[in-house]
Amino acid sequence: MNIKHFDCGYPYIIVDDVYDIDELDLVWREIDFLMDGDKLDYPEKTGTAYINNTPTKKNKGVFLHNIYPDNKYSNIFQCNKKIYDNLVDIMSETRSWFFASILSNLAVLDHNSTLLSYYDSDDYYKPHFDSSRISMCIWLYKEPKSFDGGDFILNAKVHTYNLTNDLYPSQTIEVKNNRMIIFPGIIPHGVTPVKMKNEVKGMGRFTITNFLSTRWK
């Protein structure tokens, strides 16, 4: 894993080469299985925000914990173990007070959920924020890349919620295969529209999002 830390008034971490070759093979096997047939749900079932009663995203997805009775049955869950096991090392070079405070008390991250999303032609996610303390998005697509767009906008402008994100510039982060971004969930973010170069099913943009939260007790 190639880890880089950034701070533009708000912190984020980019990790390239998240999965090794064997892990990628396992992850793609599961994705292909979930793409076979019609197993992915529309935004209304995958936790979208709404603006004027309209979902802020256009894509399809599924929360993996809703379909697996035990994590051991999911290749994605098994491959993601190394991310959680290495979270201290991934964050250790941070100069951000946010990640430093998380490192001092990792026990606060006592709940997580995992969402697989797929973006096909003209799919997008308008600016929004998550309820998680930390969001980790892993981007995947089949080579050769068959779409344009689908880039990630961090600190995206969300005037609907009266957020003070105008204090700092937005960052456009290029979608790259096998890349992960880690950031505080409260930072507004979005995905630019995907423009497919062909209409072959499954050749669009996939995201595996891990939401790390604090369980309400």
Side-chain angles (χ1 to χ4, degrees), residues 51-196:
I51 296 178
N52 296 324
N53 295 318
T54 301
T56 55
K57 66 182 177 183
K58 179 180 178 288
N59 64 15
K60 298 182 77 174
V62 63
F63 278 102
L64 297 185
H65 59 268
N66 287 339
I67 57 176
Y68 295 109
D70 190 309
N71 288 0
K72 71 179 182 181
Y73 298 112
S74 167
N75 291 345
I76 292 174
F77 277 133
Q78 295 305 306
C79 291
N80 280 359
K81 279 184 178 179
K82 79 170 187 181
I83 298 173
Y84 294 101
D85 290 344
N86 290 284
L87 203 54
V88 171
D89 290 337
I90 291 172
M91 295 184 184
S92 63
E93 297 300 318
T94 187
R95 295 184 178 179
S96 158
W97 68 266
F98 176 84
F99 287 123
S101 66
I102 292 292
L103 278 174
S104 68
N105 186 20
L106 281 175
V108 74
L109 303 177
D110 62 353
H111 178 73
N112 65 76
S113 59
T114 302
L115 173 67
L116 173 69
S117 302
Y118 176 64
Y119 294 76
D120 209 294
S121 187
D122 298 320
D123 286 355
Y124 58 82
Y125 207 146
K126 292 181 179 179
H128 65 286
F129 57 90
D130 301 333
S131 59
S132 57
R133 289 183 180 266
I134 292 177
S135 295
M136 305 190 300
C137 300
I138 304 167
W139 305 322
L140 298 167
Y141 52 81
K142 293 187 175 181
E143 305 278 5
K145 186 180 177 186
S146 298
F147 62 91
D148 294 317
D151 290 325
F152 190 79
I153 310 298
L154 193 58
N155 200 41
K157 303 308 176 186
V158 189
H159 297 288
T160 306
Y161 303 109
N162 296 317
L163 298 180
T164 57
N165 54 329
D166 283 336
L167 291 172
Y168 304 105
S170 297
Q171 301 293 323
T172 299
I173 300 165
E174 180 184 1
V175 58
K176 285 190 175 183
N177 196 19
N178 204 16
R179 165 175 278 185
M180 174 170 65
I181 183 168
I182 304 173
F183 61 97
I186 194 62
I187 297 177
H189 54 282
V191 177
T192 63
V194 167
K195 301 296 181 182
M196 299 297 298

